[in-house]
Amino acid sequence: MKNVKEIEIIINGEPWETALDKSYKKRNKEVKIEGFRKGTAPKNIYIKKFGIESLYMDAVDAVMDEAYKKALAEANITPVIEPSVDIVNINEKEVKFKFTITSKPEVTLGDYKDLKVKKEKATVTKEEIDEEVAKIKNQLAEIAPKTEGKVEKGNTAVIDFEGFVDGKPLDGGKGENYPLEIGTNTFIPGFEDGVIGMSIGETKELNLKFPEDYVADLKGKEVKFNVTVREIKERVIPELNEDFYKDLGYENVKTEEEFIKEVEHVILDRKNADIEDKFIEDILSKASENMKVEINDEIISDEVHRMIHQFEDQLKMQGIKIDDYMNITGMTHDKLHEQMSPEATKRIKYRYLLEEIANAEKIDFTEEEVNKKAAEMAENYGITVEELLKAYGSNEIVKYDMKMHRAIEILKENN
């Protein structure tokens, strides 16, 4: 492809001799040669025992930066991914590298104005308001002991239980004072249904079967559970009153009518945000379809790896290791790579599209504007400007983000 250059660089003479000498001094300190203390064996003795080849890898590391700089200067392009490097030839006199350097592919910007992309209009129905109110009330509901009656769906039954398979206690199948919320399907099918209708103090035997998709040694097997209900708790749904509104942070809301209006505004704002996101996605998609670009597989692969690292960080925040996630889901690195490739390709296309729009529209910002934006961002994040720039890398990246956002605004304004 036109945006890929292969550059061969030879490092020889004094730089290569110096690198080999440094490698020898390092290696010589790590090995024991009979008749010499560590680090004192002459170079010819070391080479006779271990061979000149043992010095090559450290020497290669020592000259790699210099070779890479020469390759970039000769290629005269800006790489968009980490260049790949191969060692074509290596001996005691020289090392020859082949750098494969990939720059941004050629992009031909198509129509990006007057795309006639329709934007939906947000409306809120009474049913949606009722559902939202019920959801809010449920979230603020208190869990209180249920002194009379039986276990119902939505109740929490505090139970003792023990399971038996083939007449023997089930490993890990015993618990005391376990809070089981009916409706969560925490246990195997039939367990919660068996608890529904039980009273406090009642003991019951549940004869069930493990599902066919359960763990290998238990799937399809019969299991008996002895269950005793120790306590029943129920959700007490709060009344709509001023105390309820204050708990939600609505200090100025006094009536149910005013509260309903607030809920309607919340739903409307949420819908408008979703509609705005979809509108931006639709115009980016249509404009990128009009653009011509051939994206290298290596560029897509690099973006996928970046996405996988982001995904790994998200899992870490949830206390999950990616290896554990792979084991639980049956996912493999290759499958994850394949799964993420379409999204990675789309992200790259959108990025190239916005960069080309920024160039076509001559979007730019002064240093003062960039500094002001950085200060605003830092304030929003509750950090200092220095901390923000450390996270971003530089003011130039802040400026780049500003250009991308302005390019999106131009797309929106002209559609």
Side-chain angles (χ1 to χ4, degrees), residues 304-327:
V304 169
H305 284 128
R306 187 178 294 111
M307 289 169 63
I308 289 173
H309 286 312
Q310 290 172 348
F311 180 61
E312 189 173 0
D313 289 341
Q314 290 168 3
L315 288 176
K316 278 182 184 176
M317 290 175 68
Q318 299 171 42
I320 303 170
K321 294 179 181 177
I322 194 161
D323 289 342
D324 294 336
Y325 168 82
M326 297 283 196
N327 290 333

Side-chain angles (χ1 to χ4, degrees), residues 300-301 304 307 336-346:
I300 295 170
S301 184
V304 169
M307 289 169 63
L336 196 59
H337 195 287
E338 183 182 351
Q339 195 179 85
M340 289 185 170
S341 286
E343 177 63 25
T345 304
K346 185 176 77 171

Side-chain angles (χ1 to χ4, degrees), residues 283-294:
I283 55 177
L284 284 171
S285 178
K286 192 158 186 181
S288 67
E289 286 173 9
N290 296 337
M291 175 183 72
K292 290 182 181 177
V293 62
E294 189 177 354

